[in-house]
Amino acid sequence: MKRNIAVIRGDGIGPEIVNQALRVLDRVARLYGHEFTYTDVDMGGCAIDKWGDPLPEEMLQRCVSSDSVLLGAVGGPRWNEVPGPMRPEKGLLRLRAGMGVYSNNRPAKIWPQLAAASPLKPEIVDKGIDFLIVRELIGGIYFGNHDTVTENGEKVAIDTLRYSESEIRRIGRIGFETARKRRRQLCSVEKSNVLDSSRLWKKIMHELAEEYPDVTLSDMLVDNCAMQIVKDPSQFDVIVTENMFGDILSDEASMITGSIGMIPSSSLGQTTCGLYEPIHGSAPDIAGKDIANPIGTILSAAMMLRYSFDLPKEADAVEAAVSATLDAGWRTADIYDGENGKKTGCAEMGDRILENLG
Ligand code: NAD
């Protein structure tokens, strides 16, 4: 398979962690007979310094015309004074809009080797936590009309929550397709006992279910889901939900897994060209010290292999190599408990994962 990947190293620890992920992709290509080529893209603070724009149009076009995009992180205190529309994070928003990605997918997985870092009780963690939240990204209350008016002498703030059938259907399909590539269990989360938008959501999900007879669909109210994620997260495979519910639940889910440096994410739209990035930021406090954890980025590359390139065997191999490296006790500073295991740096963690990949 030949694929061109747009690579955004970005700012802070971005270049360090992305370099490790590229070494892993190169090894996968060599082992499995693929050809991955990389196109460098400037985005964020480094693009402001070089081009005076966090995402020049030409850079966006490089992403849109690639087969997928791998991103480290952008931003940092150096660009805090830059005016609003030119801030590093605006580059990311323009990239998401330009790529038309409307679905953000975040796995919540506990690595048994790091189970002690989870704030949940061992008996809950021991049942195994490995699920993924598919969140609608560009609709709902965050994108509805916002207004503040004065009524009867006091201010009244109004935020509008709207979803169309087509918006629900396209994110629903991502939920079903994702479940198909996992354990085929999809839980649709809404608030249909109160909200019209949720009742429409539920209706569309059940219509879609007829097209995916191999996937088992269940429904859950969002308040119950928030409880179940801490009570018995082992019950979930894939959760699909609207923008604001997904925002809150995916942060809750990332907390129960322990370290922010371990968690990958993908954003997908109509095409297979996705945006893959770790969920953390540019960590300026540790940039340039070779101590950042590259695993979230390496697992983002594994998600790219699985979800954009349809290479599940290769994705499994990368995840197994990460697991074997943790089994062998290798820990970057953020996941080192001070006693157990062997403390290592960003590049050496990459070396160890490559060794285990073969
Ligand atoms: P952050 O995620 O960068 O860092 C929070 C804490 O986690 C820090 O102590 C950091 O050292 C640690 N950390 C993060 N990633 C790590 C890793 N891979 N290994 C080890 N430790 C890690 O969040 P922040 O400090 O709030 O933000 C820093 C900058 O990143 C800001 O400019 C922010 O706007 C930007 N940001 C960018 C993105 C993105 O590019 N997608 C996302 C969030 C924040």
Side-chain angles (χ1 to χ4, degrees):
M1 175 184 281
K2 287 188 182 178
R3 289 289 180 270
N4 181 252
I5 300 167
V7 175
I8 307 173
R9 289 182 173 79
D11 309 312
I13 60 170
E16 302 165 48
I17 53 178
V18 167
N19 285 345
Q20 300 315 312
L22 295 185
R23 292 173 72 204
V24 168
L25 284 171
D26 282 340
R27 182 64 62 89
V28 167
R30 208 183 78 198
L31 289 171
Y32 294 86
H34 306 304
E35 192 179 322
F36 299 143
T37 51
Y38 308 112
T39 303
D40 284 325
V41 172
D42 298 324
M43 187 179 92
C46 59
I48 296 172
D49 291 349
K50 201 163 160 188
W51 308 103
D53 184 333
L55 184 65
E57 185 57 30
E58 191 212 319
M59 296 293 161
L60 173 61
Q61 285 316 315
R62 287 186 191 180
C63 294
V64 172
S65 57
S66 71
D67 293 309
S68 245
V69 181
L70 181 68
L71 163 66
V74 295
R78 228 176 98 195
W79 300 280
N80 276 355
E81 305 309 319
V82 175
M86 281 295 139
R87 291 184 62 79
E89 295 79 4
K90 288 284 175 197
L92 187 53
L93 295 183
R94 270 170 29 206
L95 177 66
R96 287 177 180 152
M99 290 180 68
V101 286
Y102 50 78
S103 158
N104 182 250
N105 315 307
R106 263 199 207 182
K109 171 172 169 145
I110 291 225
W111 297 84
Q113 306 89 335
L114 305 178
S118 171
L120 297 185
K121 287 182 183 159
E123 57 266 34
I124 298 175
V125 174
D126 288 348
K127 287 169 81 179
I129 301 174
D130 181 5
F131 64 99
L132 188 141
I133 298 182
V134 173
R135 165 191 168 194
E136 201 287 325
L137 203 55
I138 55 173
I141 198 162
Y142 294 172
F143 286 82
N145 289 333
H146 309 286
D147 202 5
T148 304
V149 296
T150 302
E151 277 176 16
N152 304 323
E154 64 173 348
K155 283 207 162 67
V156 178
I158 305 157
D159 299 296
T160 315
L161 166 54
R162 72 185 291 281
Y163 267 109
S164 67
E165 288 182 297
S166 55
E167 284 173 306
I168 299 171
R169 193 164 283 118
R170 68 182 186 179
I171 187 72
R173 280 194 196 289
I174 300 241
F176 279 99
E177 295 289 342
T178 306
R180 238 180 201 173
K181 290 179 178 162
R182 293 176 49 100
R183 301 190 300 277
R184 295 169 187 257
Q185 309 281 332
L186 181 65
C187 179
S188 162
V189 171
E190 28 70 4
K191 189 74 183 163
S192 56
N193 54 343
V194 178
L195 300 173
D196 268 16
S197 59
S198 282
R199 281 190 277 277
L200 184 62
W201 179 279
K202 189 172 175 181
K203 176 173 167 286
I204 302 286
M205 289 297 155
H206 282 266
E207 281 173 17
L208 281 174
E210 290 175 20
E211 293 176 39
Y212 295 88
D214 52 327
V215 175
T216 308
L217 175 70
S218 59
D219 306 296
M220 192 175 277
L221 295 175
V222 62
D223 38 354
N224 185 22
C225 184
M227 286 194 293
Q228 295 299 328
I229 283 177
V230 288
K231 187 167 171 262
D232 181 15
S234 71
Q235 68 187 284
F236 296 114
D237 177 20
V238 178
I239 289 173
V240 62
T241 191
E242 62 101 83
N243 200 347
M244 184 167 68
F245 297 161
D247 189 7
I248 298 165
L249 294 178
S250 62
D251 267 20
E252 184 192 14
S254 66
M255 256 318 290
I256 65 172
T257 64
S259 167
I260 195 175
M262 298 286 300
I263 307 174
S265 77
S266 70
S267 300
L268 290 163
Q270 214 74 275
T271 69
T272 55
C273 176
L275 171 62
Y276 295 83
E277 54 178 320
I279 67 160
H280 57 74
S282 61
D285 51 331
I286 59 167
K289 297 182 181 165
D290 190 34
I291 57 173
N293 186 346
I295 293 180
T297 318
I298 290 170
L299 293 173
S300 300
M303 286 185 88
M304 178 187 287
L305 296 171
R306 188 183 305 281
Y307 295 110
S308 279
F309 300 166
D310 206 14
L311 296 173
K313 206 167 43 150
E314 288 81 343
D316 286 347
V318 173
E319 288 166 6
V322 168
S323 189
T325 306
L326 296 174
D327 276 342
W330 295 102
R331 303 281 186 271
T332 42
D334 57 311
I335 51 175
Y336 181 60
D337 66 6
E339 290 172 19
N340 307 301
K342 297 167 268 194
K343 197 171 170 188
T344 186
C346 182
E348 195 187 6
M349 182 58 103
D351 294 342
R352 302 295 166 214
I353 292 170
L354 285 182
E355 276 168 23
N356 285 311
L357 199 52

